[in-house]
Amino acid sequence: MTDRNLDFDRAFELVRKECAGIIERAPGLIRGYTSYLTAAQGKMMRAAATLACSMDENGMIPMDAVIFASAVETLHLATLIHDDIMDDADVRRGLVTLQKKSGKRTAVICGDYLLAAAMRQLSRATENDRYKSFDFSRYVERVALGELRQNINNKNYKLDVFRYLAIIDGKTAALFEGAYHAGALAGDESEERIAMLRKLGRYTGIIFQLTDDCIDIEVSENKAGKPVQADFENGVITMPFIHAVKQDPSLAQDAQEGKLSKTQVFEAIIKSGGVSFTHNMAGSYYDKCLGIMDKLSLSGKKKEILGGLLERAYKGLN
């Protein structure tokens, strides 16, 4: 049985140190570009999920969960670096992005290095024999495919709901699902409970992305910590715009012909109720998550943390 001797606060702090250590242990050539990223750690929702899913009935966590959580967060950082390149973003988490600071080519290489470092971190788990069924590379593949699908559909103003959900199921939800899966394995959960926790993670990730779509419309840049109302300008199609086009198909043609300004898009989304529609869709997944949590009979610190993460995803809380 896995040794469990960490409470959540101690485990979470160790994840922060592990993530910083992965960057600090990089070769000097890489570290010269990435060292500042140790100050860019965000809410670390995925790490918190991994730790919570590994908890026993006393709220204690095994060290393997810390290893998994730090790998997940490092992979997440790598995907953000690549996202910023594709979006030509200048700011992330209140800091100048790596691609803005050092150039796109350097950022691509550094993102690739962090991806490799995340996968290597997984090998440090102490009970590797027990994790043979866990192929984290499949989640990485899903993230990559989701990003590629988004890129292929860049400026596809006729993108439908089904195809958009397929994009975010990979781009965002896959890593959430992987984080919950890793934690459940580290916690030695049953196959049935692992399946439910994976689904909880996947749905939480979908909620997170749908809420983020709304934040791009509703929240100021200062509060969001990144550029807002920028999705349309970058050719990224999100759920509020998809709904606006469904209500007024002429928007797609106008956008294709370059006749829509950012302000006009914003007004069309508000007029169509695109934000409300997206929030309601997130709400349907939220209800599914509550049902899963009931079936899992979660309690104590585990319920508090996973429930809190669900609320943060649904409400866009900092």
Side-chain angles (χ1 to χ4, degrees):
M1 184 63 184
T2 304
D3 289 335
R4 300 165 184 266
N5 54 11
L6 300 169
D7 63 23
F8 180 80
D9 291 339
R10 175 61 178 153
F12 196 75
E13 181 58 29
L14 284 175
V15 173
R16 287 192 181 279
K17 289 181 178 179
E18 284 287 330
C19 290
I22 290 170
I23 293 174
E24 290 164 4
R25 290 192 298 270
L29 186 61
I30 291 286
R31 194 168 62 247
Y33 295 110
T34 60
S35 60
Y36 86 102
L37 293 172
T38 56
Q41 290 180 341
K43 298 183 283 289
M44 296 179 68
M45 292 175 64
R46 297 154 192 81
T50 299
L51 298 179
C53 288
S54 75
M55 282 180 175
D56 63 15
E57 63 275 9
N58 298 314
M60 302 306 287
I61 296 167
M63 187 61 194
D64 278 354
V66 172
I67 299 300
F68 286 155
S70 57
V72 167
E73 282 299 323
T74 302
L75 174 59
H76 179 51
L77 181 57
T79 65
L80 293 183
I81 290 172
H82 288 158
D83 276 351
D84 290 338
I85 295 166
M86 290 189 291
D87 295 344
D88 199 27
D90 293 342
V91 178
R92 168 75 69 172
R93 295 172 176 170
L95 297 176
V96 176
T97 60
L98 186 57
Q99 70 95 19
K100 178 69 173 179
K101 188 182 179 75
S102 304
K104 295 182 186 299
R105 292 184 179 184
T106 296
V108 167
I109 295 167
C110 290
D112 289 347
Y113 174 84
L114 289 176
L115 171 59
M119 301 304 290
R120 185 173 64 247
Q121 178 75 346
L122 292 171
S123 69
R124 295 184 58 212
T126 58
E127 297 196 29
N128 276 315
D129 286 346
R130 193 156 60 80
Y131 308 133
K132 285 181 177 177
S133 65
F134 182 53
D135 186 358
F136 196 71
S137 67
R138 292 190 178 276
Y139 290 110
V140 179
E141 288 175 0
R142 281 176 55 192
V143 172
L145 287 171
E147 292 284 6
L148 182 58
R149 288 189 180 103
Q150 176 174 287
N151 188 58
I152 289 171
N153 284 284
N154 205 42
K155 295 186 179 180
N156 176 9
Y157 302 112
K158 295 182 180 180
L159 185 66
D160 60 32
V161 169
F162 177 80
R163 280 185 290 173
Y164 181 68
L165 288 175
I167 289 170
I168 67 174
D169 188 55
K171 185 174 81 82
T172 306
L175 192 50
F176 272 91
E177 182 182 333
Y180 283 62
H181 189 181
L185 280 171
D188 205 18
E189 293 277 16
S190 68
E191 288 297 323
E192 181 181 5
R193 290 178 65 82
I194 288 173
M196 285 193 285
L197 285 165
R198 287 179 63 182
K199 187 173 287 187
L200 178 63
R202 178 187 172 207
Y203 289 167
T204 300
I206 291 173
I207 293 167
F208 179 87
Q209 185 59 61
L210 291 173
T211 300
D212 197 59
D213 289 352
C214 296
I215 287 174
D216 189 67
I217 305 296
E218 297 177 308
V219 179
S220 69
E221 181 170 331
N222 185 54
K223 186 174 180 181
K226 61 180 181 178
V228 295
Q229 295 184 26
D231 286 333
F232 181 79
E233 284 188 322
N234 292 325
V236 178
I237 310 304
T238 61
M239 192 63 76
F241 182 76
I242 290 170
H243 182 73
V245 170
K246 187 174 181 179
Q247 300 301 305
D248 181 2
S250 68
L251 290 171
Q253 186 63 35
D254 289 345
Q256 191 67 47
E257 296 174 0
K259 296 178 180 178
L260 282 182
S261 67
K262 182 169 75 172
T263 299
Q264 289 172 314
V265 170
F266 176 79
E267 291 172 350
I269 288 172
I270 298 303
K271 180 181 178 182
S272 70
V275 172
S276 296
F277 173 83
T278 305
H279 277 309
N280 288 337
M281 179 173 286
S284 68
Y285 282 100
Y286 176 84
D287 290 340
K288 291 178 182 179
C289 287
L290 292 179
I292 293 170
M293 291 178 68
D294 284 343
K295 289 181 181 178
L296 287 165
S297 299
L298 299 180
S299 62
K301 191 74 171 177
K302 193 168 193 168
K303 180 179 181 180
E304 176 189 334
I305 294 171
L306 292 179
L309 291 172
L310 177 59
E311 290 297 318
R312 289 172 87 173
Y314 183 48
K315 297 179 180 177
L317 300 175
N318 292 323

